Amino acid sequence: AADKIDTIVSLSKRRGFVYPCSEIYGGQRAAWDYGPLGVELKENLKRQWWRYMVTSREDVVGIDSSVILASEVWQASGHVATFTDPLTECTSCHKRFRADHLEEAFEAKHGREPESLAEVNCPNCGNKGQFTEPKQFSGLLATHLGPTQDSGSVAYLRPETAQGIFTNFAQVQQTSRRKPPFGIAQMGKSFRNEITPGNFIFRTREFEQMEMEFFVKPGEDEKWQEYWMEQRWNWYTGLGLREENMRWYEHPSEKLSHYSKRTADIEYRFSFGGSEWGELEGVANRTDFDLSAHAEASGKDLSYFDQEAGERWTPYVIEPAAGVGRAMLAFMLDAYAEDEAPNAKGKMEKRVVMRLDPRLSPVKVAVLPLSRNPELSPKAKGLASALRQNWNIDFDDAGAIGKRYRRQDEIGTPFCVTVDFDTLDDNAVTVRERDTMKQERVSLDQIEGYLAARLIG
Ligand code: ATP
């Protein structure tokens, strides 16, 4: 299955989903740029998340905070002190690893934790027990603000979007006149100085997150965590991710992050070389850790006065935190399929088809004149520009029609609309559906409604 990842990486580059970053200079390791199709898929994913988590609900609102927050935020949140990973190096091949990743891989293989790294083989050179004593390495990416590089101007690029939500908690709660239970959501870039970035867009130093902090009365937190775990699972499956490729992973209590009472991850069967399962998203109970820490450090009251009960308390927080790149990779891997389609002579041939949910598909409809012709082309172009008012449309008149279908199947376009010579007489077009390859004749004055009924969301 590792070759499926390679297939997706090369398809991504060839068709313009994802390119290696700065490739004209030889590339920047483990950094990627999203191309014309990738940016559409990514934006569709984010839109679906925002709808599901924010605008379709009465109890969640959104914000968009800065990437660079006051340095005090990261002191108070515990990130400066504890957002670290244990770094180790193989003394044979000098490759660096996260010690916790080596231990996890060992456990996945042997069903138990290693006694020490002395038991572990180097994933790179294969030598056993050649690791240096792990050293804590900060995951924060720092920069300097202002003209001098003294320590007074050190600033951190956020490693999570959550803190911008906590620092705005009181303002948002008051201005939006919300009462717990309610949530604040945010999507945006985060940065981590990952020791071992890799596996395509799964782990990069710069990435996008979709996070929501849901504020609840203490004591109701466990119930709400169950609720959000179910919601998040349903979001993925509702957009077509197959349950057989998903599972829950409960963090053992001794390995929880510094702020967490309980964390459960949705894992996806990414099937990378070394490991089958990888974290897609985490649903954490952050308790009142962050609000309390910021209240203490800032001297501002971040508690909530519950008028009904006549009590003052600091809300507990349930946080579903997802990564955009990881979700996109999971949806692409899951949707990728190879089946057969008839060629021009009716003979069955292999075809590649990305069975994406139409809500995620980067191109919704391709308009294809049967051939390049002075009568067909303008008709098809007119149709494409009319449909473009509603959807992202591709117009393609190059090559054999079968080949053009294949190009659309491979990028997940749900519908191809063919304008042929009959169109000039009957004012109708042929609509071909991606998965079934069934074709239907639809009149031009009904085509927009026909597509709208099938391209919801
Ligand atoms: P991991 O254990 O894989 O490093 P994490 O537990 O540190 O991940 P969280 O802090 O829970 O990750 O972040 C929430 C989500 O953000 C993750 O589930 C993932 O989808 C995404 N994410 C985190 N780090 C990265 C990264 N370096 N590259 C891409 N996505 C990331």
Side-chain angles (χ1 to χ4, degrees), residues 96-149:
R96 289 168 167 182
F97 300 96
R98 262 173 68 175
D100 54 331
H101 284 172
L102 293 176
E103 286 161 6
E104 280 162 22
F106 183 96
E107 193 176 344
K109 200 166 162 200
H110 301 278
R112 65 168 178 91
E113 284 182 31
E115 298 284 330
S116 72
L117 289 179
E119 269 193 275
V120 178
N121 291 326
C122 172
N124 189 46
C125 69
N127 284 343
K128 191 172 180 174
Q130 301 288 330
F131 298 103
T132 58
E133 191 57 33
K135 275 204 203 97
Q136 291 304 321
F137 178 91
S138 177
L140 291 174
L141 269 172
T143 186
H144 294 269
L145 300 182
T148 58
Q149 296 227 336

Side-chain angles (χ1 to χ4, degrees), residues 45-46 49 186-187 208-212 235 320-324:
L45 245 170
K46 286 161 66 178
W49 186 90
Q186 156 152 253
M187 307 189 286
E208 269 176 281
Q209 288 187 307
M210 307 183 282
E211 297 193 297
M212 197 273 290
W235 184 75
V324 178

Side-chain angles (χ1 to χ4, degrees), residues 17-35:
F17 283 91
V18 181
Y19 310 118
C21 166
S22 310
E23 206 184 13
I24 58 166
Y25 289 104
Q28 156 93 327
R29 197 172 75 87
W32 303 90
D33 295 340
Y34 291 83

Side-chain angles (χ1 to χ4, degrees), residues 337-364:
E338 290 172 7
D339 64 5
E340 290 195 321
N343 68 10
K345 294 184 187 115
K347 208 174 137 244
M348 294 307 267
E349 277 182 352
K350 185 188 119 172
R351 80 160 175 161
V352 167
V353 53
M354 192 96 79
R355 297 189 201 277
L356 286 170
D357 184 290
R359 289 170 290 180
L360 299 181
S361 297
V363 174
K364 307 296 182 191

Side-chain angles (χ1 to χ4, degrees), residues 98 192 194 201-204 207 209 279-282 321-323 326:
R98 262 173 68 175
R192 295 183 186 180
E194 297 278 0
I201 52 177
F202 179 84
R203 188 182 304 283
T204 47
F207 57 98
Q209 288 187 307
E279 172 178 336
L280 192 52
E281 129 157 36
R326 287 191 192 180

